[in-house]
Amino acid sequence: MELYLNGEKADLAPDTVFAVTVQSNDITRPDTVQSSYSNTLTLPYTERNHRLTGNARQVSSLSPVPYRVLEAQALHDGVEVLPLPKAYLLGAGAEGYEVDLFSGAVDLFERLGDKSIRDLDLSRFDHAWDFEQVVAGASSWRTPEHGYIYAPYDTGKPFDAASAWAEDLFPSVFTRTVFEQILQEAGVNYNGIPDELWDKLVLPFSNEKPLHTEDWINARIVEMDTRLNNTAAIPVHDPGVLNVTVEVDAAFISEAQASSIGVYLRRNGVWLDVQEVPVTTLGLTKLNARFKIHPTMDLAGLEVWTIRTNLIPAGGDTVGNSTYNYYTITSKYEQEAYFNTEWNTALNLPDIKQKDLIKAIRALFDLIVHFDSYSNTLTFTPFNKLEENKVLAYDWTDKLVYNGVVPVQYKFGEFAQKSWFRYKKDELGGDGDHFLTVDNTQLEQEKNIVELPFAASEETNGGIRIPFYSRKELTPSNYDVATDTITTRNSLSLNDKDKVWVKNASGDADVPRGWGLYEYVKDRAPQPDGWVLLEQEFYYYDTKKVEPRMAVLGEQAEVSIWKTKSYAIIRTTCKLQFNPISFQTLLPTRYKALQGVLDKAKGITPRLLLDVTDVAGYDPSIPIWLEEHQSYFYLNQISEFTGQGPTECQLWRL
């Protein structure tokens, strides 16, 4: 046996035993992916090994080698038994340096670490979240190459699958797009997922609210020093929640006239919202204002405007006026993204670990995962494929070593009489759980075998339901006067700051539909008397956290996508469905072969006289035939192969 670390041959003791355990997928644990590994090797303390390990035995050594994954090569009779393994230096023991070797998918999962799918670079799919892009993105012909699709689904707002406002639609990102980006950034190839649903799987937007990146927010921060001007205006170019802070450092307070600072949202000189605070003490006075710039608002001429009353710069005439040392205004958007701004694809994905998404896909379709280190390729094979591959089976009958009775197992891993496959729990979700049965009363009654990082979705005739919106309710304390229409509102006799609930505000160009809540502005020169829109039914919703979801593009359907109350475009899109990926659907189909293994389960651990090519050519998708047992088997594991005698193998009857 020969061992190389970072390309240089290491010294081994003459009696070194190199034992390899080979596996890709332990079918008794469908929620995991395994790798092949060696026994712990002891490298004797020689000058060469000291150099290779950075003299790690010495406490005073500052070498980084013990803290690095090392490239390794393990040869048995000139053949690599572990393909391109990674070496981990465990420590320095009494007889030498202790090293473990791992080969296969472990390196991929080490690289992925705890990265979220939100950490991926999907910037090529970022786009303007507006009417034009929603209409273009709703087309039923879109594929994973397009990255996303705007397919309607019920978010908790009034829902009609055949008619939707553009701003009520959110992009669903193709799962394959995300999956392939994970592997691309990890530097790994794959041969596709051989399932008819693979190109139809999507991750619908299911977060509490859409978000902007910090870069987007920071690029729109405006800070102004208004020391020399009585007023200052900041143009508003984007919808969203805009926080505005005005600070004044008062140097002198006049008792002759009241002083104040104010922030106003106005369009072409007409005030839309007013927030003021008096300046009554020396030192710092701060006004924090918050304006909701709804997507339906006309942004032409819209600005945030500040004005101070009876305040002048320090050093000037103080007669009748207060003075200040500095006066600043700052505007900054909150992170929530509004319609008619930019949609960041990665940031608005569910917060799921990249490795958990890979394991979830493996569990959904009962896939055998095998990593070829030489081609750096992940291969996914349905477990059902073993039935077809019986014609390719390896006949290992002559390799059996007869040394008594072959041990037989009847308990299949941690499976129970009812082995549950579950979606993540969400009280706002549906039911996608189901179970495989094992006819063995010696086992536990029930046990959870798989839990996906997604919640199930309730499905209706119009598609799936992900209710992250919930309706707020107006109460009498929210308004002073109720009226039916904009016309009847305008005929009311009101006082300054009276709040009026207009039950049908469709006469207001800024209100797409439903009611509006207004504040009356009166006797505030130079502003003419008028109305400030405080809330409207179209946006009067709370948002709440729901668990991540996965869905399938289903049947095609026409939908009218509305831009305004009088303009819509009809597109042929796809409904989102959940039932095709419910375990009630998947277990009878994708898990058919595994159910066959569970029925009267028989696992044997015979000793087989394998050679190095048997181990190096391990392919978990090819069954093993043993004439003595007149059966085909799944090779679950080759245990501690040394090349110096029989090797114990774990086989499950197909």
Side-chain angles (χ1 to χ4, degrees), residues 139-149 172-180 190-203 361 365 550-554 574 576 581 590:
S139 296
S140 59
W141 49 262
R142 292 178 73 86
T143 66
E145 284 69 30
H146 296 97
Y148 61 89
I149 182 172
S172 296
V173 180
F174 284 93
T175 305
R176 197 191 99 191
T177 303
V178 177
F179 190 91
E180 291 179 351
Y190 91 121
N191 63 348
I193 302 294
D195 195 282
E196 62 184 4
L197 296 180
W198 183 228
D199 284 351
K200 300 178 181 180
L201 280 181
V202 292
L203 301 173
I361 298 302
F365 303 123
M550 183 178 281
V552 175
L553 295 183
C574 293
L576 292 187
I581 54 171
R590 275 60 171 194

Side-chain angles (χ1 to χ4, degrees), residues 2-23:
E2 296 175 274
L3 176 66
Y4 293 81
L5 298 178
N6 286 342
E8 186 173 349
K9 187 175 181 179
D11 291 330
L12 296 175
D15 58 350
T16 296
V17 175
F18 179 53
V20 175
T21 296
V22 179
Q23 59 183 11

Side-chain angles (χ1 to χ4, degrees), residues 284-435:
L284 182 65
T285 296
K286 182 184 290 188
L287 168 61
N288 293 314
R290 188 171 184 265
F291 300 108
K292 288 185 177 180
I293 315 299
H294 291 303
T296 55
M297 293 181 69
D298 181 4
L299 301 184
L302 190 66
E303 61 185 4
V304 171
W305 191 65
T306 181
I307 188 170
R308 51 182 175 266
T309 304
N310 299 324
L311 272 169
I312 63 174
D317 181 9
T318 61
V319 177
N321 290 291
S322 301
T323 63
Y324 63 89
N325 294 315
Y326 70 82
Y327 188 99
T328 61
I329 179 172
T330 303
S331 69
K332 180 180 180 180
Y333 282 93
E334 292 183 5
Q335 196 173 14
E336 181 179 359
Y338 273 31
F339 189 70
N340 283 330
T341 60
E342 180 182 295
W343 186 272
N344 186 281
T345 303
L347 183 61
N348 288 297
L349 288 171
D351 190 11
I352 294 174
K353 292 180 182 179
Q354 296 178 17
K355 60 187 177 186
D356 288 344
L357 179 63
I358 294 176
K359 290 191 286 186
I361 298 302
R362 176 259 176 279
L364 272 175
F365 303 123
D366 194 21
L367 301 172
I368 301 170
V369 183
H370 183 61
F371 186 73
D372 185 334
S373 298
Y374 297 114
S375 62
N376 202 30
T377 300
L378 273 176
T379 300
F380 296 87
T381 305
F383 193 76
N384 286 345
K385 185 74 173 178
L386 270 82
E387 288 298 320
E388 295 179 32
N389 286 350
K390 284 180 178 179
V391 296
L392 305 174
Y394 300 130
D395 187 347
W396 282 4
T397 302
D398 293 339
K399 297 178 183 291
L400 271 171
V401 175
Y402 298 93
N403 57 349
V405 178
V406 175
V408 180
Q409 296 174 264
Y410 310 115
K411 181 182 178 183
F412 187 80
E414 297 300 316
F415 280 66
Q417 294 181 58
K418 272 189 177 180
S419 298
W420 282 96
F421 290 67
R422 298 190 184 277
Y423 277 82
K424 195 171 187 178
K425 290 304 175 189
D426 185 343
E427 63 181 19
L428 302 173
D431 179 17
D433 301 348
H434 202 49
F435 56 87

Side-chain angles (χ1 to χ4, degrees), residues 495-552:
N495 299 314
D496 184 41
K497 296 187 177 181
D498 277 351
K499 291 183 176 62
V500 178
W501 179 27
V502 180
K503 298 177 183 178
N504 179 2
S506 59
D508 184 342
D510 285 337
V511 180
R513 63 171 184 250
W515 53 256
L517 181 66
Y518 297 84
E519 182 178 88
Y520 187 57
V521 177
K522 184 178 181 181
D523 299 331
R524 299 195 207 175
Q527 164 73 9
D529 294 353
W531 299 95
V532 172
L533 176 62
L534 300 179
E535 291 286 358
Q536 54 176 297
E537 183 177 2
F538 196 70
Y539 301 110
Y540 205 62
Y541 289 85
D542 283 321
T543 57
K544 53 193 173 184
K545 184 180 184 301
V546 298
E547 296 296 342
R549 305 299 176 91
M550 183 178 281
V552 175

